[in-house]
Amino acid sequence: MTRIVLDKVSKAFRSNKILSELSLELESGHLVALLGPSGSGKTTLLRSIAGLEALDSGAIRFDQRDVTHTAANARGVGFVFQHYALFEHMSVHENIAFGLRCKPRSARPAAAEIDARVRELLELVQLPELGSRRPDQLSGGQKQRIALARALAIKPEVLLLDEPFGALDARVRRDLRSWLRGLHDRVSATSLFVTHDQVEALEIADSIVVLREGRIEQIGAPAELYRAPASFFVFQFLGECNTFVLDGNSEHPRIRSLSASEMGQQPAGAAWLGCARPHDMQISTEGVKETGLSGVVSRVHAAGPTVRLELNVGSAKALLVDLSHAEFSAKMPRPGETWFARPRAMQTYAVG
Amino acid sequence: MASRPGRLPGFPLSLSLTLLWLSGLVLLPLCALLALALRTDPATWLHTLTEPRTLAACRLSLGSALLAALLDTAAGLGLAWALTRYRFPLQGWIDSTIDLPLALPTAVAGISLGAVYGAKGWVGGWLEAHGMKVIYSQAGIVLAMMLVSLPFAVRPIQAVLRDLDPHAEEAAVSLGGSRWRAFFTVVLPALRPAIATAFALSFAKSVGEYGSVIFVSSNLPGRSEIAPLLIMTRLEEFNYEAAAAIAMLLLFASLSVLILVTALQVRRPSD
Amino acid sequence: MAALAPIQPGLRAGPSVERPALRDPWWFRASLLGACALFLIAVLALPLAAVLVEAFRRGIGPAMKAWSDPDTKAAAWLTLRTAAWVVPLNAAFGIAAGYALGKFRFRGRTLLIALIDLPLSVSPVIAGMLFVLLFGAQGWFGPWLRDHGIKILFAPTGIVLATLFVTFPIVARELIAVMEARGRDQEEAALSLGAGAWTTFRRVTLPSARWALLHGIVLCNARAMGDFGAVSVVSGHIRGETNTLPLHIEVLYGEYQFQAAFAVAFLLILMAVVTIVLKHWFELRAASGAAEELA
């Protein structure tokens, strides 16, 4: 189990800064998610740790070993690609055995031992009968599991996964996601996976690194990140939110209006922003101005685990409120009615 | 071979081998031609290129190549259409046959045309009886050029047609257009670059064609002598300057057509 | 240059079959198919059939006599020897070029690819001429060669060189295209698993390009055996010594030995047909590989 340390790593491509003096220490044995929008540098970071990208400056260490200038084939890192990168011309068995067969004579296990290990790994990924198949005969989910088995065959200290489920459809993705968590617990390598899907990260990671434009926005356990996002960006990125333009400050926030800015953009002309999740909103027939907003119900969507209300509060965006079914039945808001909505809990952020 | 992070190994070795082979085998010989051409004084150039025999040969090669390329491109369009859009027996085999001229020695192509269209040929006899001379006329030359350039005319068009999104055409038809309209507004614009490529490649191939043509032509200087044959003759006469001058002209013709077509394609980016 | 796409991976179903809105009217289809059939018959089928028939018109005996003629045998032997040199050399070069230009991006790449394509636009006669300018008596190396008693022109060596020039781009273009299409993923996977550079190349890069390589090799071979213009210029037409099969056909034809010429041509047609059959098969194998990529 290896501790990964990144020390002020930077990489630029042409005039584009992909990673800016990024420093990071990852606990050994953890399953860590690298989360961020496209262009945040997460894939470049992952590939740099694997040795598939060269850094302009900075250092990478595995425990005490400095691997900054070590070639990819000497780092002892297992890498799982988004599009599997299985060797098409080899059988599944040969794919998994590849890393072991490549070892120099002195370090190479006997053929029988290699075969045994391959079978063991096929059992681990729950595909024991597929050894003689070819990659083109497998489904996407199966291919990804074989790719994982192949990476694990060399007993890597570090396991890196590049959007491992990005190429799969939603249901397979959900199933494999929790399966990966189970597998990680059994295998105990330090694992790092890249994703742009916050639900995925929140669900299975031990800790999440949120990246934005080559810099770290926040690191923490999923619950902590979700409950107390350090910045407006993280709040927005991790889930749905109502963004309020505030008069006043974080001590005495006064809600002025609902911001209509797009995801990732900060609204102009505001000094403070307040963010609240839809399920942290409550509705009443009346309320104190500046603690919430009054609006006309435009949509009621009751076919789900919660009831979603959309309120027209005079902004280009609708105010989103998620009510439990119990609360909904108690209050029965209907389209066309005017209701007052206020956040039970709100995070405030200074703008700029 | 040392590898570094971020780079696949083997680049320096493979690039050096490539450059070595390319320089020695292609660039060096071409330099010899270039050097000779530059060494030759303009008067000799002019003399060679304007003498009647050269003019006749170039006119024959360029003119026949132009005609052959036009006809082949039209045939290429039709064949590509039929092969992509229709289903008929032995389709796969017929598609493969179109590549045959790529593997067929040009000499064989030439004598096979002679066997069919020559005076004593299968069809030739009948044609000549009706006053149509194929072999030993320009028609024969054009026919030979068409045969050897056929795959170059079909494949570029076929590749684009095959990858064409049928949804765009269906949209045109569902919006009330006729099939013809859909063809002209949706299909043809997408095919234009490919058609131009087909023409350019056929032309470049035909203009330099030698092996198949000399068997179907009477090869009389000033009348039915193609430019490559004239080059060969000049070489045998050790008149290297003249050979080089004609060669440069032919190269110029085929390269400029190719460059023109590529430039046109680059200027209007097609998806 | 959007030149010939080297591999055409199989035919896809014609849309008109599945999409009624795009079906051409029956009379149009009939006429187009008819015209295509006529065209192919007139330009391809009939000529090739004619050679077949004429070669064996008087039975197999005269044909066999033509084949076993010592000059024919010498020509065949020279043709095979030439191909035996040309194909492996250009295949090796093609692999190097495919790797350097297919897996890497660098300034000047486009220019290099265009230069590699150059021999395709050069008339075979001009190709032969280039070597005359280099190795001929008055060529760049002429005097040096003469002083050292080395014969390039009018000898098999010259034929091999001219054929190398002419077939130069064939394998390279296939491999550049396929290596570019495959990308670097598999190589990166192999490296991450601990494979060294040569191991990666040998066990991952080459096998993933094997069908394109074979495809290129058969075409290169056919072209090497069948070249006429370039070889014509450099060979000197010395009967029994520097005549390849295509040149020998010209000799026979010129001596009005038509049947012998057709008999020898038949051999080359056989070679061409086998080439195309193999080529088609390799394309199918490559296509099933390409389909995997999209899964």
Side-chain angles (χ1 to χ4, degrees), chain A residues 21-170:
Chain A
E21 305 236 319
L22 203 146
S23 294
L24 187 58
E25 274 189 39
L26 297 173
E27 285 303 320
S28 57
H30 269 204
L31 177 60
V32 181
L34 280 182
L35 181 65
S38 54
S40 52
K42 51 193 195 298
T43 298
T44 307
L45 186 59
L46 194 80
R47 287 168 59 90
S48 307
I49 298 176
L52 295 174
E53 298 281 349
L55 295 170
D56 294 338
S57 63
I60 302 180
R61 285 191 287 278
F62 291 168
D63 286 333
Q64 302 308 323
R65 193 162 69 108
D66 186 316
V67 296
T68 318
H69 301 289
T70 315
N73 49 12
R75 289 200 187 188
V77 164
F79 199 95
V80 178
F81 291 77
Q82 182 175 6
H83 296 285
Y84 331 120
L86 292 177
F87 305 131
E88 316 278 331
H89 53 280
M90 296 184 193
S91 69
V92 163
H93 186 106
E94 287 165 342
N95 262 278
I96 300 176
F98 184 82
L100 294 169
R101 294 207 182 129
C102 280
K103 285 194 196 259
R105 281 273 144 77
S106 45
R108 196 186 310 171
E113 210 182 305
I114 294 182
D115 285 343
R117 177 126 180 89
V118 170
R119 278 194 296 272
E120 189 189 313
L121 284 161
L122 282 171
E123 290 281 348
L124 183 67
V125 300
Q126 296 164 313
L127 293 172
E129 345 73 47
L130 293 190
S132 51
R133 297 266 188 93
R134 303 218 138 217
D136 61 349
Q137 297 168 304
L138 304 176
S139 73
Q142 288 172 330
K143 283 195 219 188
Q144 199 55 292
R145 285 189 274 167
I146 300 296
L148 203 50
R150 181 177 67 175
L152 290 173
I154 56 169
K155 294 207 170 81
E157 316 166 44
V158 172
L159 186 62
L160 304 175
L161 304 107
D162 184 5
E163 308 233 23
F165 311 125
L168 304 169
D169 38 270

Side-chain angles (χ1 to χ4, degrees), chain C residues 256-269:
Chain C
Y256 298 96
Q257 294 192 51
F258 294 124
Q259 205 196 3
F262 288 133
V264 177
F266 170 75
L267 291 177
L268 288 174
I269 291 181

